[in-house]
Amino acid sequence: MRKQFVVIGLGRFGRSVAQTLSDLGHDVLAIDRNEHAVQLIMHNVTHAVQADAREEETLRALGVRNFDVAVVAIGDDLEANILITLMLKEMGIIVVTKAQSTQHGKVLERIGADKVIYPERDMGIRLAHNLIATNVLDFIELSPDYSIFETKASASFVNKTLGELDLRKNYGITVMAIKKKEDQIVVAPGAKAVIEDKDILVFVGNKKSLTKLPN
């Protein structure tokens, strides 16, 4: 389903979000005060506008209240970040906001941000996991203790069934899906599912369970 997004703040993070959403086929309005930042992305999104998003009249004139989701990607001006988030929420929009710190994030949550993200922190966590277990391809944090991980199948798992491996008992993880060659995905695989060479496992488990898995 095609959606409409407005991305405010076109630094590296905001530009990446805006361009990716556009590449995925959605309408994107990109806003920044800096003319050069707008020029860098103007050919890669639906609309790119040089404007001061701290002005409520400007946001209303651009029709921002009609968009499905707003992403506030401003990171270097906390006051602007908070003010814009507040105005957008008063307009009744779903708002995803970038936070610089936990304290900043708490303020954003208090004023109604629907989702607060910490790009630098999350990248640091991802890097740490990759350093600990080199077969980790990606992960999604569900809580401080549990995450969804995507890993290359260990050589010791190859040609064995999930029943034989009994990963829940031996490693405390539950396999949600197996990504096969040629983009085939086996969702909720049963005990008879066989792990093949170069398979990728998608599982949920405690973060500590990751260190128990063989490489």
Side-chain angles (χ1 to χ4, degrees), residues 49-106:
V49 179
Q50 181 187 2
D52 189 346
R54 295 174 299 179
E55 301 292 336
E56 186 173 357
E57 291 183 3
T58 298
L59 293 177
R60 292 189 181 280
L62 290 171
V64 168
R65 66 187 307 166
N66 299 316
F67 282 72
D68 297 303
V69 180
V71 180
V72 182
I74 299 171
D76 57 348
D77 188 337
L78 300 187
E79 182 178 345
N81 175 290
I82 293 169
L83 175 62
I84 293 168
T85 298
L86 181 59
M87 290 190 296
L88 291 170
K89 285 309 302 176
E90 289 179 343
M91 292 180 190
I93 308 170
I94 295 174
V95 182
V96 178
T97 310
K98 175 183 178 181
Q100 292 287 75
S101 65
T102 301
Q103 186 175 10
H104 179 205
K106 288 180 179 179

Side-chain angles (χ1 to χ4, degrees), residues 7-212:
V7 179
I8 301 173
L10 300 175
R12 286 178 296 180
F13 173 71
R15 190 164 63 248
S16 176
V17 171
Q19 186 162 340
T20 301
L21 288 171
S22 183
D23 290 344
L24 291 172
H26 299 287
D27 294 323
V28 179
L29 168 62
I31 304 173
D32 198 288
R33 287 186 296 171
N34 185 286
E35 182 181 0
H36 179 63
V38 172
Q39 290 177 343
L40 285 176
I41 201 170
M42 64 187 305
H43 298 299
N44 299 313
V45 295
T46 312
H47 299 290
V49 179
Q50 181 187 2
D52 189 346
R54 295 174 299 179
E55 301 292 336
E56 186 173 357
E57 291 183 3
T58 298
L59 293 177
R60 292 189 181 280
L62 290 171
V64 168
R65 66 187 307 166
N66 299 316
F67 282 72
D68 297 303
V69 180
V71 180
V72 182
I74 299 171
D76 57 348
D77 188 337
L78 300 187
E79 182 178 345
N81 175 290
I82 293 169
L83 175 62
I84 293 168
T85 298
L86 181 59
M87 290 190 296
L88 291 170
K89 285 309 302 176
E90 289 179 343
M91 292 180 190
I93 308 170
I94 295 174
V95 182
V96 178
T97 310
K98 175 183 178 181
Q100 292 287 75
S101 65
T102 301
Q103 186 175 10
H104 179 205
K106 288 180 179 179
V107 173
L108 293 170
E109 290 173 353
R110 285 283 183 88
I111 63 175
D114 296 277
K115 184 175 180 60
V116 178
I117 55 176
Y118 303 83
E120 290 83 3
R121 183 201 67 179
D122 293 345
M123 183 55 70
I125 293 173
R126 179 170 297 181
L127 174 60
H129 280 293
N130 286 334
L131 291 173
I132 292 171
T134 56
N135 60 339
V136 173
L137 302 176
D138 202 358
F139 83 101
I140 300 173
E141 188 173 46
L142 300 177
S143 73
D145 294 320
Y146 286 86
S147 295
I148 295 175
F149 293 92
E150 187 173 297
T151 71
K152 298 177 183 177
S154 166
S156 61
F157 291 175
V158 175
N159 296 326
K160 294 181 180 178
T161 67
L162 290 180
E164 290 173 323
L165 293 171
D166 201 353
L167 299 178
R168 183 179 297 178
K169 177 181 178 181
N170 294 321
Y171 302 102
I173 67 173
T174 300
V175 177
M176 302 168 60
I178 302 174
K179 291 186 177 182
K180 299 286 186 178
K181 300 175 184 177
E182 300 178 356
D183 297 325
Q184 294 180 352
I185 300 179
V186 180
V187 179
K192 294 182 179 180
V194 178
I195 305 298
E196 299 174 336
D197 187 34
K198 296 184 179 180
D199 276 356
I200 294 174
L201 305 181
V202 181
F203 65 85
V204 62
N206 188 291
K207 293 178 181 178
K208 293 182 180 179
S209 65
L210 182 64
T211 61
K212 301 177 183 178

